[in-house]
Amino acid sequence: MTDLPLGIDFGGTGIKGAPVDLDAGAFAADRAKIATPRPATPEAVAAVFRELVSRFPVSTSPVGVTVPAVVHHGVVGSAANIDDSWIGTDADAVFTEALGREVHVVNDADAAGLAEVEYGAARGHRGLVIVTTLGTGIGSALIHDHVLVPNSELGHLEVEGHNAESRAANSAREAEDLSWEEWAGRLTTYYRTVERLFSPELIVVGGGVSKSWDKFGPLIDIGTEIVPATLQNKAGIIGAALVATRAATEA
Ligand code: BGC
């Protein structure tokens, strides 16, 4: 597996990575996980990445990293749920330097969305697919005929006067102890706004809570076809490895 790209998922509690077989859209070895340092500054995170990468056989293939933030050409542009010190950081440069290996950073939902379109729930779908991740925040990926429009940030749409993710993310369900029915009502309001603005052909719902799809998914009452993600917590890692490989090939 010496020539496989590595995907790293940088989350609020854990940093997880695995080598990815891009033909199969699957991990080529068991995932490794290390707790996210606190505070999760770029330097502290880079040290964890070094440790994580050292757990896999040496390779020269690129590394893809998800971050829960806007990313422009490797530079982080927002920090809704991460340490503010990320804003303005050229994460591609910091991590490439730290790992001695080409690194490309991508928004977490964009990575998961690409993976779902290439290998998961939206495989084979043409037209506009919107992949959303319901977690601490709401992430979104806007993909048209396999082409990603990055940094769509639809979790921050204003819905009924609120930042949508503050009402409809899985963290809001937990914090407010909402029933599945109540939460599905909020998701209906949210997704109706999304479908009114973008007219997608398919909406995919990811994030850890999509495991419980049967409890809330069928209660979301919208006109657009809406389905659960199928790659679960592998989507970010697989998508990041895909993005890094494409970026390296294009360079
Ligand atoms: C961030 C997005 C991210 C999403 C999911 C939002 O708060 O603004 O960049 O994709 O959370 O982590």
Side-chain angles (χ1 to χ4, degrees), residues 36-119:
T36 304
R38 293 194 186 277
T41 58
E43 294 68 29
V45 170
V48 172
F49 285 1
R50 265 198 301 273
E51 161 66 21
L52 193 75
V53 169
S54 74
R55 299 199 186 170
F56 298 102
V58 180
S59 161
T60 53
S61 296
V63 178
V65 173
T66 70
V67 289
V70 167
V71 182
H72 285 128
H73 309 289
V75 179
V76 176
S78 69
N81 295 308
I82 56 174
D83 196 83
D84 276 350
S85 58
W86 283 87
I87 297 181
T89 298
D90 185 339
D92 278 10
V94 170
F95 296 144
T96 296
E97 163 83 25
L99 298 183
R101 198 164 147 181
E102 187 172 346
V103 180
H104 293 278
V105 171
V106 57
N107 171 266
D108 56 356
D110 283 343
L114 272 178
E116 290 294 340
V117 166
E118 296 302 329
Y119 310 106

Side-chain angles (χ1 to χ4, degrees), residues 134-135 170 206-212 232-233:
L134 305 176
N170 189 45
V209 73
S210 62
K211 284 200 293 284
S212 305
Q232 304 290 349
N233 55 9

Side-chain angles (χ1 to χ4, degrees), residues 14-25:
I15 295 177
K16 293 152 262 176
V20 175
D21 173 347
L22 290 178
D23 292 327

Side-chain angles (χ1 to χ4, degrees), residues 70-233:
V70 167
V71 182
H72 285 128
H73 309 289
V75 179
V76 176
S78 69
N81 295 308
I82 56 174
D83 196 83
D84 276 350
S85 58
W86 283 87
I87 297 181
T89 298
D90 185 339
D92 278 10
V94 170
F95 296 144
T96 296
E97 163 83 25
L99 298 183
R101 198 164 147 181
E102 187 172 346
V103 180
H104 293 278
V105 171
V106 57
N107 171 266
D108 56 356
D110 283 343
L114 272 178
E116 290 294 340
V117 166
E118 296 302 329
Y119 310 106
R123 188 176 181 159
H125 267 266
R126 300 203 52 200
L128 181 64
V129 176
I130 296 184
V131 181
T132 54
T133 59
L134 305 176
T136 308
I138 296 181
S140 66
L142 215 63
I143 298 164
H144 184 261
D145 287 355
H146 296 269
V147 177
L148 171 75
V149 179
N151 301 310
S152 49
E153 293 289 325
L154 303 186
H156 299 294
L157 281 176
E158 186 179 317
V159 177
E160 294 183 335
H162 299 275
N163 182 1
E165 71 176 21
S166 71
R167 305 267 302 159
N170 189 45
S171 57
R173 180 185 68 83
E174 289 172 344
E176 298 180 51
D177 205 15
L178 301 176
S179 66
W180 292 109
E181 289 74 16
E182 287 169 320
W183 190 46
R186 292 198 186 177
L187 290 171
T188 294
T189 306
Y190 173 63
Y191 286 119
R192 280 187 184 168
T193 305
V194 170
E195 67 180 352
R196 195 173 67 245
L197 293 173
F198 297 96
S199 304
E201 288 172 39
L202 177 71
I203 295 176
V204 178
V205 180
V209 73
S210 62
K211 284 200 293 284
S212 305
W213 176 257
D214 290 350
K215 299 189 180 122
F216 70 94
L219 304 175
I220 301 173
D221 182 15
I222 59 173
T224 309
E225 185 184 355
I226 183 164
V227 297
T230 57
L231 299 173
Q232 304 290 349
N233 55 9

